[in-house]
């Protein structure tokens, strides 16, 4: 079993609270395993940025790549940094700078009562969204012309490369094959984005021929948004662009019981990767012992699974599911516990 070196970036707001609990869970499963786990904290946050002017240190990415197997991040975003400069530098800095092209977002309902859909059961909500994570509308290319005048023009470029589109689509099919899932849906807006999403169409049609055992289909993203709400059991694997993936995974989080439940990984297969809950820093509930730690704890499990600690990951998942079934959770998912107490209920089951 491989020893693991994890860089921990709690970040801002509830990120700090939920990552503290995720680390306790990680230490608990590591203590009972034959491998070693080293957690090294980094204060890359709004606080640090406001004090020092440094968001992501200059050699930060190199340091991470040379010394760590993965990064566990809480969330970034603070009202005192209105342009979110530090979040852009740190979070998008890692996604782009480490070329983490796969945003892996599993969507799994743990208990029927958490789903807002009438009659939905855990078996009906169990799919994975693969979001392209290094290009699209996130590249921050564009600009303003005549800024601040009534004639102002503003642009943001939707950048799509053959290489970028192909590698995320291929990853989705490879995941379907490896996990014996039978269906992949590619979602775009090729009826309007007739250049960029025509590229997605052509690449999808090409790559699907390499995976004849997987049923491949296409859905426009507006219809996907409806179908996720109407009949989520039709989905097994969804692959889509950066911005659409961001939006549909918040919708999908709603199917699981809300943002407090949703986990994610930013991955470049074979290289260092970054794991973070789907939710943000949630300033209004920060520091109140209210935030649901399950998104972060399930993210830690996803990270262990990715790094080969499969048994430990499965133990965490089972403990989480058990607390949910027993209503030993935070208020957002029907319990009456605080952040610390919800995590303690999980740790108790791991003991
Ligand atoms: P948010 O995810 O912080 O909150 C959205 C809603 O979900 C709020 O009602 C919040 O209270 C609730 N929520 C989120 N996580 C929860 C949890 N663990 N337990 C209980 N309830 C939870 O999104 P937002 O309000 O749009 O953004 C707040 C800040 O976070 C912004 O600065 C944004 O840019 C940033 N953000 C960062 C990340 C990230 O670092 N990965 C992701 C999303 C948003
Ligand atoms: C997410 C977040 C980020 C994104 C923000 C904070 C830049 O919403 O991880 O889903 O849009 O990717
Ligand atoms: Mn998002």
């Amino acid at each position: 079993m491989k020893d693991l070196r994890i860089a921990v970036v709690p970040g801002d707001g509830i990120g700090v609270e939920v990552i503290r609990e995720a680390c306790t869970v990680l230490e608990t499963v590591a203590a009972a395993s034959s491998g070693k786990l080293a957690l090294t904290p980094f204060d890359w946050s709004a606080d640090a940025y406001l004090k020092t002017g440094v968001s992501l240190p200059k050699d930060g990415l190199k340091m991470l790549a040379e010394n760590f197997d993965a990064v566990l991040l809480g969330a970034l975003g603070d009202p005192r940094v209105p342009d979110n400069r530090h979040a852009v530098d740190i979070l998008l800095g890692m996604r782009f700078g480490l070329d983490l092209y796969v945003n892996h977002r599993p969507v799994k309902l743990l208990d029927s009562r958490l789903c807002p859909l009438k009659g939905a059961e855990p078996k009906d909500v169990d799919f994975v969204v693969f979001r392209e994570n290094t290009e699209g509308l996130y590249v921050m290319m564009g600009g303003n012309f005549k800024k601040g005048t009534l004639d102002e023009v503003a642009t943001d470029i939707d950048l799509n490369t053959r290489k970028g589109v192909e590698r995320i689509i291929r990853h989705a099919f490879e995941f379907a094959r490896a996990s014996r899932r039978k269906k992949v849906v590619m979602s775009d807006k090729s009826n309007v984005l007739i250049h960029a999403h025509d590229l997605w169409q052509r690449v999808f049609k090409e790559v699907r021929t390499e995976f004849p055992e997987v049923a491949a289909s296409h859905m426009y993203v507006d219809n996907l948004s409806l179908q996720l709400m109407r009949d989520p059991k039709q989905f097994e694997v969804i692959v889509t662009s950066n911005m659409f993936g961001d939006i549909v995974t918040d919708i999908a989080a709603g199917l699981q019981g809300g943002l407090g439940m949703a986990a994610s990984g930013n991955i470049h297969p074979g290289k260092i990767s970054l794991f973070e809950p789907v939710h943000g820093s949630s300033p209004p509930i920060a520091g109140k012992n209210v935030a649901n730690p399950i998104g972060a704890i399930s993210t830690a499990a996803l990270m262990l699974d990715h790094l080969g600690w499969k048994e430990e990951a499965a133990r965490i998942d089972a403990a989480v599911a058990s607390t949910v079934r027993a209503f030993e959770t935070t208020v957002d998912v029907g319990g009456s516990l605080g952040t610390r107490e919800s995590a303690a209920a999980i740790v108790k089951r791991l003991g």
Side-chain angles (χ1 to χ4, degrees):
M1 191 171 192
K2 191 174 169 235
D3 292 346
L4 301 180
R5 302 157 307 163
I6 309 298
V8 179
V9 181
D12 303 328
I14 64 167
V16 177
E17 297 167 85
V18 298
I19 290 300
R20 189 187 298 131
E21 303 308 328
C23 287
T24 304
V25 166
L26 283 171
E27 278 160 354
T28 306
V29 292
S33 93
S34 56
K36 281 204 193 76
L37 176 85
L39 302 173
T40 309
F42 290 90
D43 181 19
W44 297 349
S45 63
D47 269 346
Y49 175 63
L50 290 167
K51 266 187 225 132
T52 64
V54 178
S55 51
L56 180 70
K58 201 157 56 64
D59 60 350
L61 298 181
K62 189 164 169 285
M63 182 277 299
L64 289 175
E66 284 172 1
N67 297 294
F68 293 97
D69 301 300
V71 182
L72 179 64
L73 178 123
L76 291 157
D78 187 302
R80 293 170 301 164
V81 187
D83 64 358
N84 250 342
R85 185 69 242 169
H86 70 300
V88 169
D89 290 353
I90 299 167
L91 178 60
L92 299 186
M94 286 195 270
R95 287 183 187 168
F96 292 140
L98 298 170
D99 199 27
L100 307 174
Y101 64 91
V102 177
N103 196 185
H104 178 146
R105 296 190 157 180
V107 183
K108 204 164 161 37
L109 176 63
L110 297 182
D111 193 276
S112 302
R113 75 189 157 73
L114 297 192
C115 188
L117 301 189
K118 256 186 283 171
E121 295 176 36
K123 68 174 170 40
D124 302 327
V125 182
D126 185 3
F127 58 92
V128 179
V129 178
F130 289 102
R131 161 188 179 194
E132 201 295 317
N133 212 28
T134 50
E135 46 187 57
L137 270 165
Y138 276 70
V139 296
M140 299 187 178
M141 290 167 68
N144 301 81
F145 180 51
K146 301 188 182 175
K147 191 168 179 178
T149 74
L150 292 177
D151 294 324
E152 176 161 356
V153 178
T155 64
D156 277 291
I157 289 174
D158 182 12
L159 183 112
N160 293 257
T161 67
R162 164 80 209 196
K163 173 182 150 189
V165 174
E166 185 174 337
R167 64 186 183 172
I168 188 66
I169 290 177
R170 175 162 287 108
H171 185 88
F173 277 104
E174 279 168 355
F175 174 86
R177 174 175 278 169
S179 62
R180 297 181 189 287
R181 286 175 171 84
K182 296 187 189 65
K183 296 193 276 186
V184 171
V185 171
M186 189 277 277
S187 189
D188 65 17
K189 192 71 187 169
S190 50
N191 46 354
V192 178
L193 306 180
I194 59 171
H195 308 292
H197 285 194
D198 178 58
L199 175 62
W200 279 76
Q201 284 285 331
R202 283 180 281 120
V203 172
F204 183 63
K205 284 175 187 151
E206 228 176 274
V207 173
R208 64 189 280 178
T209 63
E210 297 168 29
F211 300 85
E213 78 278 25
V214 179
S217 60
H218 167 260
M219 201 175 269
Y220 293 122
V221 71
D222 43 356
N223 186 30
L224 172 67
S225 305
L226 168 66
Q227 295 303 328
L228 283 170
M229 281 298 118
R230 210 188 59 78
D231 181 24
K233 69 176 178 299
Q234 66 188 290
F235 299 107
E236 294 184 4
V237 175
I238 295 169
V239 60
T240 190
S241 61
N242 205 342
M243 184 62 83
F244 294 166
D246 178 43
I247 298 165
V248 302
T249 54
D250 263 37
I251 298 176
L255 296 171
Q256 295 171 265
L259 277 168
M261 299 297 291
S264 92
N266 304 265
I267 295 165
H268 185 123
K271 294 194 180 170
I272 185 173
S273 46
L274 159 68
F275 290 81
E276 47 163 351
V278 175
H279 66 73
S281 56
S282 199
I285 62 167
K288 298 183 174 152
N289 195 39
V290 164
N292 186 347
I294 289 181
I297 290 169
S298 301
T299 294
L302 188 64
M303 177 180 77
L304 291 186
D305 186 77
H306 175 76
L307 297 173
W309 287 33
K310 306 263 173 207
E311 213 175 287
E312 287 73 14
R315 286 185 64 214
I316 297 174
D317 287 339
V320 166
S322 164
T323 61
V324 169
R325 282 192 299 269
F327 289 75
E328 290 178 43
T329 63
T330 47
V331 178
D332 56 307
V333 284
S336 58
L337 303 181
T339 307
R340 283 189 293 272
E341 294 72 22
S342 160
I346 293 165
V347 169
K348 192 171 136 207
R349 282 161 173 81
L350 292 168

